[in-house]
Amino acid sequence: MKSVVLLAANTAWYLLNYRKNFILSLLNMGCSVSAAVPYDNDAEALEQLGVELCVVGCSQYGMTELELKELVGEYVNVIKRVDPCVFFTFTLKANIFGSIAANIQNVPVINTVPGLGLAFLDNGNMKERAIEFYRNSLRWSRKIFFQNNSDMIFFIENGISSEEICEVVPGSGVDLDAFPYVPVGESLLTGCFKFLYFARLLRPKGILEYVEAASLLRTSGYKVDCIVAGTFDGDALYAISDMEFQRKIFENDDI
């Protein structure tokens, strides 16, 4: 009988884009892989890799007591059905609610914290709730992976996790077959240099500072193209609107 590995994240898109090679490695090792994710535009592509899709109602934003109860129940039902030998969780809600469900079902859970998330930028009630949720849910985790030292230190100092189970890894990695390395050509260095902003258009991700920096470079005489490749995330905390972004561009009409 194949060992079943269960993964959870707040979108199928996340697992497909950030954990594809991990999934393929598990499948090549002979494991069965199931994924507890909401159904989105990338769900079918995830299934085509050979992953069993277990749809759960994990929204990307917000965190309420009602959602806590419902989502934990959904994760419990998934765990009961697929009977995994280990549960890997990614992203804040999967880490919190998935870990609670794994604890209930006595399944080993391994968490990855790629970043603290927008909730931790708030110095009020939202941040305190997120800390408390994490503190109560990760106490039985077998391992917690971080992608920077400051996040790991924050968890340890706030009593969320013990130092013994924490480890920092150097990022999620990049699939060099899908995104091959291309050396910088001499013509690029002597011509117009291009900067790329690749992220959601959220204030903490520096989009407004990026626009101002582009204006500063251009007015200083540098030949640059500053490109934005991202989405307006209207429901997200700290999101900017299309209108606000356009206004910022017009304020810096030299770019």
Side-chain angles (χ1 to χ4, degrees):
M1 186 182 223
K2 287 186 176 183
S3 298
V4 179
V5 177
L6 179 61
L7 314 178
N10 60 6
T11 60
W13 181 94
Y14 176 92
L15 292 182
L16 185 66
N17 284 275
Y18 293 124
R19 306 297 166 182
K20 179 180 178 180
N21 284 339
F22 176 52
I23 291 170
L24 293 177
S25 296
L26 290 171
L27 293 172
N28 289 335
M29 289 168 58
C31 299
S32 294
V33 180
S34 299
V37 291
Y39 194 90
D40 60 24
N41 293 333
D42 293 287
E44 290 186 10
L46 196 60
E47 287 183 297
Q48 289 171 5
L49 291 181
V51 176
E52 179 195 11
L53 201 66
C54 307
V55 178
V56 296
C58 178
S59 62
Q60 193 169 0
Y61 306 115
M63 186 183 300
T64 65
E65 296 293 337
L66 178 61
E67 182 181 34
L68 167 63
K69 295 176 182 178
E70 291 179 348
L71 194 52
V72 169
E74 290 185 64
Y75 282 134
V76 166
N77 290 336
V78 170
I79 292 172
K80 285 181 178 179
R81 184 168 64 82
V82 305
D83 190 24
C85 61
V86 63
F87 189 12
F88 286 90
T89 66
F90 310 90
T91 68
L92 187 144
K93 287 189 179 180
N95 282 336
I96 292 174
F97 303 151
S99 295
I100 294 173
N103 296 334
I104 292 172
Q105 294 301 117
N106 198 30
V107 171
V109 61
I110 297 174
N111 313 110
T112 292
V113 182
L116 293 184
L118 297 177
F120 287 87
L121 294 177
D122 178 83
N123 287 320
N125 184 54
M126 184 182 298
K127 180 178 180 180
E128 290 304 316
R129 289 182 66 213
I131 291 174
E132 194 61 29
F133 272 131
Y134 257 139
R135 190 179 289 140
N136 291 331
S137 60
L138 302 191
R139 63 178 69 180
W140 296 285
S141 296
R142 299 292 180 90
K143 190 78 175 179
I144 305 176
F145 292 108
F146 299 86
Q147 293 186 358
N148 60 73
N149 280 300
S150 60
D151 288 352
M152 182 179 72
I153 292 170
F154 180 89
F155 268 54
I156 294 170
E157 289 182 347
N158 283 274
I160 297 173
S161 56
S162 63
E163 186 174 358
E164 290 74 21
I165 64 169
C166 294
E167 184 175 342
V168 175
V169 295
S172 300
V174 176
D175 184 347
L176 294 180
D177 291 328
F179 305 98
Y181 168 70
V182 178
V184 175
E186 193 173 321
S187 61
L188 179 59
L189 294 176
T190 57
C192 183
F193 200 92
K194 295 184 179 181
F195 292 95
L196 174 63
Y197 172 98
F198 183 63
R200 287 179 292 159
L201 273 64
L202 304 175
R203 287 183 177 81
K205 293 185 180 292
I207 179 57
L208 299 181
E209 290 83 356
Y210 179 80
V211 172
E212 291 179 3
S215 175
L216 180 61
L217 286 170
R218 294 290 290 271
T219 56
S220 299
Y222 292 98
K223 296 170 66 176
V224 296
D225 281 340
C226 295
I227 304 164
V228 173
T231 56
F232 294 101
D233 216 338
D235 294 331
L237 188 67
Y238 305 114
I240 68 169
S241 66
D242 181 24
M243 183 178 297
E244 183 179 359
F245 180 67
Q246 294 296 333
R247 185 170 63 247
K248 193 69 175 178
I249 292 291
F250 289 133
E251 287 175 359
N252 298 276
D253 56 8
D254 49 291
I255 59 176

